[in-house]
């Protein structure tokens, strides 16, 4: 390895120096502008993978850049340590989740430290630490006291494989987000956070956000699913009650030919009780309950229904409309009741076709008549009594006004967003701090009794009920209100609760009696630049936004949004697929670091392309990055060893050129790093400067170097390592110190470029052919005869005049004229 630069020695040396001198430890300093840069913290499920490394290295370049720009930078790291991955792995390996988790954290931290990242490790946060989850529980209590945490019975998503319930956000295409098992519906009594109360704020306050990827905002918007329309009451004579439906299309109300209730709707049982339909409906409900949500609601799936032989009364026409139950209507969405308008709704249309229900067109499409197929767009109202002839938009308003006047409905807004189900029937999570007393009912654990500790000796294998329910010493307690015997809540919290506030904890992780010091949070928050995967768009990111809005309303924080700017990085792929153990296409960061060093890994990842795009792992690419760093090392050595001689004439042109190139490089690296984080093009600019230095070395070794020229080379090298520093911090720090600098490059001011010196000076050169002016070209001042000739020959007009002729002679007057003598 003697041909290679001693990366191992260099990297260890500087990591040790940075740590010993504590240069990345930060404290609040009101006199300086702050910058909070944060990468989404990992599950400690083992060694970090390349996706993690990419995430953290992007964050580190940003942190290093802002440190050197003079900002007071907070850049912490921690571990999202509760949750199923740890628990499942622990079950598999027969060790306690805590032991397993802390072992993995140690392993992960070791690799993170090898990456040379600017973390302030004193601020490390581990969510399964009682000193942390004490406050996760404290936040639960604040939510509870303010009516934002509540328990209710309802249909929930149940993953039979994970043996726990899931939030709606954790169900992807009808399957468990974690293990892919189709999700079942169960009726359970569970804890929820009232996120629906914030549906409008979560939409509206997107305008407070800085730079967020549009696709993330779109995903959140779609998930919240706001729609405007009307609530309309349909009277049910047998029960003597009205049933309200929400519709976005009140203009189609004259097209209602049937009325659908979700099979789980509580009215269904009351409507059929004691009728011949009762047994049939019971069997129907049982069959539907086995279907997943996606099966029930997909446009492609076959719709199933059953007529109840009961009616509702149409609110305007007074006609009798038959009531059905159907699988495609869900209790959790809308009110669990739908007015069937088959002519203008795809699913109603499919349902009406299957069961032979009437289809009445009430909207005429703008270009022509209704053709017997479903038309769901806007148009002109027809077959609609006094409302016929109105365009849809106007018709909606008129219908709503009419219904309101009659006391039969009103304008309404509906959201797709449901409340956040936070109960989990698993062991490895923060216990929900609630006690049940026979006398007092549901009693919150007093804040002074926090944390409710997870018991250690528990059979944590999942069985259905929470493992904590089997632990008598945990369950049995006394009521904090009456002192009588009581039982603890045995569900634990969704780990997304833990990760909804961790960024606040970093601001003052030493606080024992409160989750954070409000002064410190006021100084550091909000996070200026957050970096993570787009897969968290509607889980972690939506939940964190919700959390901060609640805390703001409770007067705990002075801001509405946690993350000002969000950068979503692309994946690392290999052989065209996302790296995963099951595909066997992973690359171990630990091994690559051992073989090539951290700076190479960093440089390769950053050079592979714009960081928001997926990048393909390539062994050649890694070797290319390694060769480049070796080249920098060798060039640096050569420049430092350069001889100079007072007698050698100075080449002013060369000096100007090199100086210009250096300023251009600083400009490009600065721009590409600050805007859009296009580190790949920033690194390209650095590579060009390395080429320039390499050529300069050759040039000077032939010509001989004047001391002024050697000084310029040394200055250029210093600027080179200065801008290379955020990308390859160890090697650049080493060369910096070899150049005689006594303080850390990692803290040195970012170099300034001189816009004047950066400009390339150009001159207009007249091109003559056989003495006649044929064209003009722009060339760099003092360009060589060869360069100007080459440029002239590329000129279209010159090309035309030359045709097939041969150049006999070239006459060049520098910076003025070039004459081609041809025949
Ligand atoms: Zn699962
Ligand atoms: Zn009590």
């Amino acid at each position: 390895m003697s041909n290679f630069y001693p990366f191992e020695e260099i990297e260890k040396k500087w990591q040790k120096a940075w740590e010993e001198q504590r240069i990345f430890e930060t404290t609040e300093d009101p006199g300086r502008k702050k910058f909070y840069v944060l990468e989404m913290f990992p599950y400690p499920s083992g060694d970090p993978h390349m996706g993690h490394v990419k995430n953290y290295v992007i964050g580190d370049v940003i942190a290093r850049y802002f440190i050197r720009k003079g900002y007071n930078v907070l850049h912490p790291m921690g571990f999202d340590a509760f949750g199923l991955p740890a628990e499942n792995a622990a079950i598999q390996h027969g060790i306690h989740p805590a032991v397993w988790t802390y072992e993995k954290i140690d392993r992960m931290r070791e690799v993170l430290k090898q990456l040379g990242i600017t973390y302030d490790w004193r601020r490390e946060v581990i969510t399964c630490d009682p000193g942390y989850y004490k406050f996760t529980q404290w936040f639960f209590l604040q939510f509870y006291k303010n009516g934002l945490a509540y328990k209710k019975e309802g249909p929930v998503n149940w993953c039979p494989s994970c043996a726990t319930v899931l939030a709606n956000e954790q169900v992807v295409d009808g399957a468990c987000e974690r293990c892919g098992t189709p999700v079942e519906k169960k009726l359970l009594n569970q804890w929820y956070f009232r996120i629906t109360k914030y549906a409008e704020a979560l939409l509206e306050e997107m305008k407070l956000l800085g730079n967020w990827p549009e696709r993330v905002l779109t995903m959140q918007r779609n998930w919240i699913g706001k729609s405007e329309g009307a609530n309309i009451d349909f009277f049910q004579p047998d029960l003597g009650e009205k049933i309200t439906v929400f519709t976005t299309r009140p203009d189609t109300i004259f097209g209602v030919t049937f009325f659908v209730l979700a099979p789980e709707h509580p009215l269904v049982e009351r409507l059929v009780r004691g009728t011949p339909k009762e047994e049939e409906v019971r069997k129907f409900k049982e069959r539907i309950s086995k279907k997943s949500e996606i099966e029930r609601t997909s446009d492609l799936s076959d719709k199933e229904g059953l007529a109840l032989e009961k009616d509702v009364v149409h609110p305007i026409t007074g006609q009798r409309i038959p009531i059905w139950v159907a699988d495609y209507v869900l209790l959790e969405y809308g009110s669990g009741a739908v007015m069937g308008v088959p002519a203008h709704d795809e699913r109603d249309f499919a349902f009406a076709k299957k069961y032979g229900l009437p289809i009445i067109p009430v909207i005429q499409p703008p270009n022509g008549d209704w053709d017997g197929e479903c038309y769901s767009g806007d148009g002109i109202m027809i077959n609609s009594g006094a409302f016929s002839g109105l365009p849809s938009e106007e018709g909606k308003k008129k219908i709503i006004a009419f219904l309101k006047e009659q006391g039969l409905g009103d304008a309404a807004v509906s959201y797709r967003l449901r409340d956040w189900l936070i109960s989990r029937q698993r062991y490895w999570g923060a216990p929900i701090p609630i006690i049940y007393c026979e006398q007092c009912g549901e009693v919150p654990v007093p804040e002074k009794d926090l944390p409710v500790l997870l018991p250690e000796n528990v059979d944590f294998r999942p069985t259905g009920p929470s493992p904590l329910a089997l632990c008598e010493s945990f369950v049995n307690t006394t009521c904090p209100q009456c002192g009588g015997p009581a039982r603890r809540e045995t569900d634990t919290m969704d780990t997304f609760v833990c990760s909804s506030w961790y960024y606040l904890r970093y601001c003052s992780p030493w606080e024992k009696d409160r989750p954070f010091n409000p002064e410190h949070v006021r100084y550091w928050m909000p996070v200026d630049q957050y970096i993570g995967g787009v897969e968290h768009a509607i889980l972690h990111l939506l939940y964190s936004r919700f959390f901060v809005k609640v805390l703001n309303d409770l007067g705990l924080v002075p801001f509405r949004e946690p993350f000002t700017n969000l950068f979503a990085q692309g994946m690392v792929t290999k052989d065209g697929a996302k790296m995963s153990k099951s595909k066997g296409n992973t690359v171990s960061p630990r091994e690559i670091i051992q073989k090539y060093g951290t700076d190479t890994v960093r440089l390769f990842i950053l050079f592979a392309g714009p960081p928001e795009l997926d990048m393909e792992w390539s062994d050649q690419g890694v070797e290319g990055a390694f060769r480049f760093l070796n080249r920098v090392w060798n060039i640096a050595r050569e420049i430092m060893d350069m001889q100079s001689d007072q007698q050698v004439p100075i080449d002013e042109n060369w000096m100007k050129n090199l100086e210009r190139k250096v300023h251009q490089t600083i400009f490009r690296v600065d721009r590409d790093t600050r805007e859009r984080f296009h580190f790949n093009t920033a690194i390209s600019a650095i590579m060009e400067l390395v080429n320039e230095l390499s050529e300069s070395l050759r040039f000077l070794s032939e010509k001989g170097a004047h001391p002024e020229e050697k000084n310029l080379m040394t200055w250029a090298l210093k600027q080179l390592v200065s801008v290379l520093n955020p990308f390859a911090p160890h090697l650049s720090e080493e060369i910096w110190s070899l150049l005689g600098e006594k303080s850390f490059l990692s803290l040195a001011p970012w170099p300034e470029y001189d816009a004047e010196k950066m400009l390339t000076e150009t001159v207009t050169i007249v091109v003559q052919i056989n003495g006649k002016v044929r064209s003009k070209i722009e060339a760099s001042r003092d360009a060589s005869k060869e360069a100007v000739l080459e440029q002239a020959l590329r000129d279209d007009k010159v090309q035309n005049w030359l045709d097939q002729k041969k150049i006999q002679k070239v006459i060049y007057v520098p910076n003025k004229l070039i004459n081609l003598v041809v025949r």
Side-chain angles (χ1 to χ4, degrees):
M1 293 290 272
S2 62
N3 291 331
F4 302 127
Y5 83 100
F7 57 85
E8 208 186 327
E9 187 188 313
I10 291 174
E11 290 176 0
K12 285 216 173 95
K13 169 182 163 186
W14 291 106
Q15 284 166 16
K16 189 161 168 260
W18 296 330
E19 195 176 331
E20 279 175 2
Q21 314 250 350
R22 305 164 65 165
I23 65 169
F24 300 128
E25 295 179 5
T26 28
T27 43
E28 301 69 36
D29 178 356
R32 281 165 74 204
K33 270 185 294 178
K34 66 93 184 181
F35 195 85
Y36 187 174
V37 54
L38 184 64
E39 301 102 56
M40 291 180 186
F41 67 166
Y43 279 113
S45 51
D47 268 14
H49 54 67
M50 276 301 168
H52 288 128
V53 174
K54 180 175 178 183
N55 189 199
Y56 310 146
V57 166
I58 292 169
D60 194 48
V61 173
I62 297 167
R64 285 178 175 278
Y65 174 80
F66 277 93
I67 289 171
R68 296 195 46 209
K69 279 286 198 178
Y71 286 79
N72 191 19
V73 172
L74 175 60
H75 190 207
M77 182 40 78
F79 299 94
D80 190 9
F82 269 141
L84 284 182
E87 196 170 341
N88 288 340
I91 291 163
Q92 211 184 337
H93 299 108
I95 47 171
H96 196 278
V99 174
W100 189 89
T101 300
Y102 282 97
E103 263 176 23
K104 295 299 168 189
I105 286 176
D106 287 345
R107 255 187 101 76
M108 208 155 189
R109 192 193 295 114
E110 191 188 312
V111 177
L112 292 182
K113 287 196 168 177
Q114 286 176 7
L115 287 168
I117 297 176
T118 53
Y119 295 133
D120 181 352
W121 280 106
R122 298 170 310 153
R123 295 176 183 268
E124 183 185 76
V125 154
I126 298 175
T127 60
C128 67
D129 191 294
Y132 181 87
Y133 72 70
K134 171 183 178 175
F135 297 112
T136 306
Q137 293 172 336
W138 184 85
F139 282 119
F140 176 92
L141 292 177
Q142 310 314 307
F143 277 54
Y144 181 79
K145 285 172 195 162
N146 288 282
L148 294 167
Y150 68 94
K151 199 172 193 185
K152 75 161 185 203
E153 181 167 78
V156 297
N157 308 300
W158 176 263
C159 173
S161 160
C162 295
T164 186
V165 300
L166 302 170
N168 287 335
E169 288 80 359
Q170 286 161 328
V171 180
V172 177
D173 295 336
C176 170
E177 176 228 13
R178 178 151 303 287
C179 70
T181 307
V183 164
E184 294 170 3
K185 285 280 173 189
K186 264 195 177 185
L187 206 64
L188 284 174
N189 207 3
Q190 300 283 289
W191 284 97
Y192 293 84
F193 277 166
R194 209 179 293 281
I195 192 172
T196 50
K197 195 182 167 197
Y198 285 81
E200 189 58 35
L202 286 164
L203 284 175
E204 185 54 25
E205 290 168 11
M206 283 184 182
K207 66 171 186 264
L208 303 177
L209 297 171
N211 197 3
W212 275 50
E214 194 47 48
R215 59 185 167 148
V216 171
L217 297 178
T218 303
M219 281 162 86
Q220 290 202 0
R221 251 183 236 116
N222 291 343
W223 184 258
I224 296 166
K226 180 180 182 176
S227 47
E228 288 175 64
N231 278 333
I232 302 176
D233 298 334
F234 286 74
F235 185 69
Q236 208 294 314
D238 306 85
L239 299 173
E241 286 177 26
K242 60 185 190 183
I243 310 175
T244 304
V245 298
F246 173 80
T247 175
T248 57
R249 295 298 302 272
D251 56 319
T252 65
I253 189 156
F254 285 87
V256 176
T257 59
F258 58 97
F259 191 88
V260 194
L261 291 173
E264 302 85 0
H265 198 292
L267 286 184
V268 172
E269 231 175 277
R270 289 172 56 200
L271 282 167
V272 297
R273 193 173 300 150
T275 75
K277 281 278 166 183
E278 190 171 1
E279 183 56 18
E280 213 181 325
V281 167
R282 197 187 56 76
K283 283 186 178 148
F284 179 79
K285 277 175 70 173
E286 207 178 282
R287 196 168 69 247
I288 300 306
S289 73
K290 295 207 173 68
K291 286 193 177 182
S292 70
E293 188 169 319
I294 188 88
E295 276 178 276
R296 287 178 58 171
T297 57
S298 154
D299 280 346
L300 303 169
S301 65
D302 191 32
K303 316 267 176 290
E304 266 193 275
L306 183 69
L308 296 187
E309 288 166 10
K310 297 276 180 186
D311 298 328
V312 287
V313 178
H314 191 285
I316 298 182
T317 66
Q319 272 177 320
R320 289 281 181 137
I321 310 282
I323 304 177
W324 287 66
V325 284
D327 57 354
Y328 73 97
V329 177
L330 300 175
L331 186 59
E332 306 93 291
Y333 292 103
S335 54
V338 159
M339 60 181 216
V341 186
H344 306 294
D345 178 277
E346 295 288 350
R347 291 188 299 175
D348 294 347
F349 183 78
F351 189 76
K353 278 277 185 193
K354 177 168 176 183
Y355 292 101
L357 297 164
I359 300 174
I360 305 172
V362 292
I363 299 291
Q364 185 180 305
N367 339 301
D369 288 335
W370 185 65
D371 60 1
E373 287 299 311
C374 174
Y375 171 72
S376 58
D378 280 357
I380 304 294
M381 289 172 73
I382 51 170
N383 303 324
S384 298
F387 298 91
S388 292
L390 293 175
S392 289
E393 270 317 302
E394 199 186 335
K396 284 178 193 172
K397 287 181 195 134
K398 290 257 161 80
I399 295 276
I400 291 172
F402 176 79
L403 290 169
K404 192 174 178 184
E405 203 182 285
Q406 306 286 314
L408 292 167
D410 202 351
V413 174
S414 164
Y415 300 91
R416 185 176 168 272
L417 183 70
R418 301 293 94 189
D419 276 340
W420 175 10
L421 169 51
I422 60 149
S423 290
R424 294 294 178 274
Q425 290 70 47
R426 294 297 295 252
Y427 167 68
W428 195 231
I432 293 175
I434 291 288
I435 287 168
Y436 302 100
C437 167
E438 269 181 38
Q439 302 303 316
C440 318
E442 199 176 275
V443 182
V445 173
E447 289 180 15
K448 66 172 174 53
D449 294 344
L450 296 181
V452 177
L453 283 172
L454 258 187
E456 275 179 31
N457 295 318
V458 173
D459 183 1
F460 47 78
R461 282 168 300 188
T463 50
S466 169
L468 292 179
L470 306 172
C471 180
E472 288 295 315
S473 61
F474 176 81
V475 173
N476 294 319
T477 184
T478 49
C479 169
Q481 266 176 32
C482 70
R487 296 174 70 78
R488 283 190 193 280
E489 169 63 61
T490 57
D491 283 352
T492 54
M493 278 185 255
D494 183 3
T495 55
F496 281 100
V497 179
C498 309
S499 57
S500 289
W501 73 278
Y502 78 110
Y503 46 88
L504 298 168
R505 184 70 181 166
Y506 283 138
C507 298
S508 44
W510 307 283
E511 293 286 331
K512 295 249 181 305
D513 302 320
R514 48 186 182 176
F516 50 76
N517 177 331
E519 285 308 308
H520 295 177
V521 159
R522 183 187 294 271
Y523 178 76
W524 290 115
M525 286 293 294
V527 172
D528 296 278
Q529 185 63 57
Y530 200 26
I531 305 144
V534 75
E535 67 273 18
H536 294 289
I538 48 178
L539 285 157
H540 167 60
L541 291 167
L542 190 68
Y543 293 151
S544 296
R545 293 185 61 220
F546 160 60
F547 235 78
V548 156
K549 289 178 199 312
V550 172
L551 301 194
N552 177 260
D553 284 345
L554 300 183
L556 294 167
V557 300
F559 43 87
R560 294 292 289 174
E561 289 285 345
F563 315 123
T564 305
N565 299 300
L566 172 72
F567 185 82
Q569 93 269 6
M571 291 187 303
V572 182
T573 61
K574 186 161 184 276
D575 314 321
K578 183 179 179 175
M579 284 191 185
S580 80
K581 279 188 188 141
S582 60
K583 289 198 195 84
N585 64 344
T586 57
V587 175
S588 149
R590 196 184 281 272
E591 281 167 27
I592 298 287
I593 291 171
Q594 239 157 41
K595 192 166 173 196
Y596 297 103
T598 286
D599 281 346
T600 292
V601 176
R602 294 174 59 115
L603 194 82
F604 165 67
I605 285 176
L606 296 164
F607 185 56
E612 68 271 25
L613 300 183
D614 292 350
M615 59 165 277
E616 171 73 9
W617 183 266
S618 126
D619 294 339
Q620 293 94 312
V622 178
E623 273 168 27
F626 184 57
R627 270 198 310 274
F628 171 72
L629 292 178
N630 276 294
R631 200 161 166 230
V632 172
W633 174 254
N634 291 330
I635 283 173
R637 298 297 295 262
E638 275 188 61
I639 291 174
M640 287 184 263
D641 292 345
M642 236 170 97
Q643 301 298 315
S644 63
D645 181 350
Q646 201 72 45
Q647 306 305 315
V648 171
I650 294 176
D651 188 326
E652 296 282 350
N653 263 341
W654 167 82
M655 286 188 68
K656 246 190 194 165
N657 251 324
L658 182 60
E659 205 184 354
R660 181 185 306 126
K661 188 76 191 174
V662 170
H663 285 289
Q664 284 170 343
T665 306
I666 296 170
F667 168 79
R668 285 170 60 189
V669 174
D670 188 73
R671 180 197 59 193
D672 296 352
T673 303
R674 190 184 57 237
E675 294 167 18
R676 307 206 306 145
F677 309 139
H678 277 191
F679 311 125
N680 56 324
T681 53
I683 293 168
S684 289
I686 296 174
M687 288 174 166
E688 282 178 34
L689 180 58
V690 169
N691 287 340
E692 190 82 22
L693 286 179
S694 170
E695 276 168 35
S696 294
L697 273 169
R698 210 173 315 143
F699 170 74
L700 291 177
S701 78
E702 280 169 19
K703 176 182 96 66
H706 187 273
E708 264 187 53
E709 290 174 324
K710 174 170 176 167
N711 286 347
L712 184 71
M713 285 296 275
T714 306
W715 170 81
L717 174 62
K718 241 183 210 177
Q719 307 309 307
L720 168 78
V721 292
S722 184
V723 292
L724 180 63
N725 172 258
F727 313 105
H730 307 85
L731 176 64
S732 54
E733 191 83 80
E734 175 73 9
I735 297 174
W736 185 255
S737 96
L738 289 175
L739 285 166
E741 293 290 335
K742 295 283 176 262
S743 52
F744 289 106
L745 173 57
S746 299
L747 301 180
W750 184 255
E752 303 275 346
Y753 58 85
D754 184 331
E756 292 271 301
K757 289 186 178 157
M758 205 175 82
L759 295 175
T760 310
E761 270 184 283
T762 60
V763 287
T764 306
I765 292 180
V766 171
V767 185
Q768 295 183 341
I769 294 176
N770 293 338
K772 290 200 172 109
V773 176
R774 296 303 186 197
S775 187
K776 284 174 185 169
I777 58 172
E778 291 290 313
S780 317
R781 179 179 285 282
D782 300 329
S784 67
K785 181 179 176 183
E786 290 70 30
V788 174
L789 175 62
E790 203 187 298
Q791 208 182 329
L793 292 177
R794 276 202 305 266
D795 185 85
D796 286 344
K797 286 186 212 148
V798 175
Q799 282 278 326
N800 283 339
W801 284 105
L802 280 178
D803 205 15
Q804 301 291 325
K805 299 184 187 90
K806 275 216 163 102
I807 299 174
Q808 304 285 311
K809 198 177 166 193
V810 177
I811 301 150
Y812 179 51
V813 184
N815 300 325
K816 287 203 175 74
L817 176 148
I818 188 163
N819 184 19
L820 312 181
V821 181
V822 301
R823 190 183 295 163

